[in-house]
Amino acid sequence: MTVERDNNSGAVSHFLDLAKGIVPPMNPAGRPFVLGAAVGTLLLRRFSKRLGVVGAVLTAWVAWFFREPKRTTPTRPGIAVAPADGTVSHVVEAVPPAELGLGAAPMTRISVFLSVFDVHVQRVPVSGTVKQVSYRPGKFLSADLDKASEDNERNTVWLRSFEGHDVVVVQIAGLVARRIVCHVAEGDKVAVGQTYGLIRFGSRVDLYVPAGSRVLVEAGQKTIGGETVLAELPEG
């Protein structure tokens, strides 16, 4: 009997381990939305089983949207990894956001567009120190437009890598995205690949790296936040 109980316990434990590997954890910012959807589902279920099923599907989708899968981040020095899952929309030379006061010298800007089907947490592109965090209200143009970098609501984080590189990452609201969440502040020490923020429901993330960086991606390429290496930073 004891052996059978141990076997059952082992099978359950193995199943839970498999489930954890398949179902990614959820970002804490999504919990109020999932709770609200679940409560709504229970209320709908009282009136109609069919509506209850619809509510359950919606609740599952909300939980899936706020997923925060574990990632294996490259640790070699001198690189900048993707701050978000999505598709590279632009690689251009551009002046960094004016609110940072970094001057008019252009940097290389790599823009990643996130659809509603992509993971929407943002990850730190380099290990280092947060020099400044600046929020600027703006428009809600479609995030795949180039002018969204200038006109849309955004939250900008200026990082100084431990190797001395200035790197800027910008969360940009989109046509549907109306809420930017940022969990870091000036002076924080951050590690490459760690989650630092979230944009809700379709958006864009711009990464500015120093001029002279070797960009390793092209427009149209898919990125995996915290894993895809976007650029090799200049030596020295």
Side-chain angles (χ1 to χ4, degrees), residues 63-82:
W64 175 80
F65 177 87
F66 286 102
R67 65 198 184 279
E68 186 178 327
K70 294 181 179 179
R71 296 287 163 78
T72 301
T73 302
T75 56
R76 71 180 187 272
I79 61 172
V81 303

Side-chain angles (χ1 to χ4, degrees), residues 4-235:
E4 182 178 351
R5 188 181 301 113
D6 290 343
N7 288 338
N8 290 336
S9 177
V12 171
S13 177
H14 180 64
F15 174 79
L16 292 176
D17 289 339
L18 289 175
K20 289 179 181 179
I22 297 172
V23 180
M26 183 175 61
N27 186 274
R31 291 171 184 167
F33 293 88
V34 175
L35 179 60
V39 171
T41 297
L42 292 175
L43 294 175
L44 290 173
R45 181 67 177 76
R46 296 178 63 182
F47 297 100
S48 166
K49 290 184 178 181
R50 183 173 297 178
L51 289 177
V53 170
V54 172
V57 172
L58 178 61
T59 301
W61 182 85
V62 172
W64 175 80
F65 177 87
F66 286 102
R67 65 198 184 279
E68 186 178 327
K70 294 181 179 179
R71 296 287 163 78
T72 301
T73 302
T75 56
R76 71 180 187 272
I79 61 172
V81 303
D85 289 32
T87 304
V88 177
S89 57
H90 305 90
V91 179
V92 298
E93 298 300 307
V95 175
E99 58 265 29
L100 296 181
L102 284 173
M107 302 176 73
T108 300
R109 187 181 76 202
I110 306 168
S111 301
V112 177
F113 175 74
L114 293 72
S115 76
V116 294
F117 301 105
D118 288 312
V119 174
H120 271 63
V121 297
Q122 282 76 61
R123 300 174 189 271
V124 175
V126 296
S127 294
T129 304
V130 177
K131 298 292 289 183
Q132 185 176 331
V133 179
S134 298
Y135 168 78
R136 199 201 75 168
K139 300 178 181 178
F140 296 96
L141 304 175
S142 178
D144 60 344
L145 297 175
D146 187 51
K147 62 181 179 179
S149 293
E150 296 296 330
D151 296 342
N152 281 22
E153 177 177 318
R154 67 185 183 225
N155 187 76
T156 302
V157 178
W158 168 17
L159 301 165
R160 175 74 54 76
S161 76
F162 291 139
E163 290 83 25
H165 296 104
D166 286 321
V167 174
V168 176
V169 61
V170 188
Q171 300 165 288
I172 301 173
L175 192 63
V176 180
R178 298 294 173 119
R179 184 72 172 91
I180 297 173
V181 179
C182 181
H183 301 303
V184 296
E186 183 177 334
D188 287 352
K189 304 292 184 183
V190 293
V192 61
Q194 80 176 62
T195 299
Y196 83 90
L198 173 77
I199 313 175
R200 293 206 278 261
F201 308 118
S203 48
R204 171 172 160 178
V205 179
D206 285 348
L207 176 68
Y208 291 79
V209 293
S213 297
R214 182 182 174 221
V215 178
L216 303 179
V217 294
E218 299 180 355
Q221 184 173 337
K222 288 286 188 180
T223 63
I224 300 175
E227 290 193 356
T228 304
V229 179
L230 297 190
E232 294 177 347
L233 306 180
E235 294 184 4

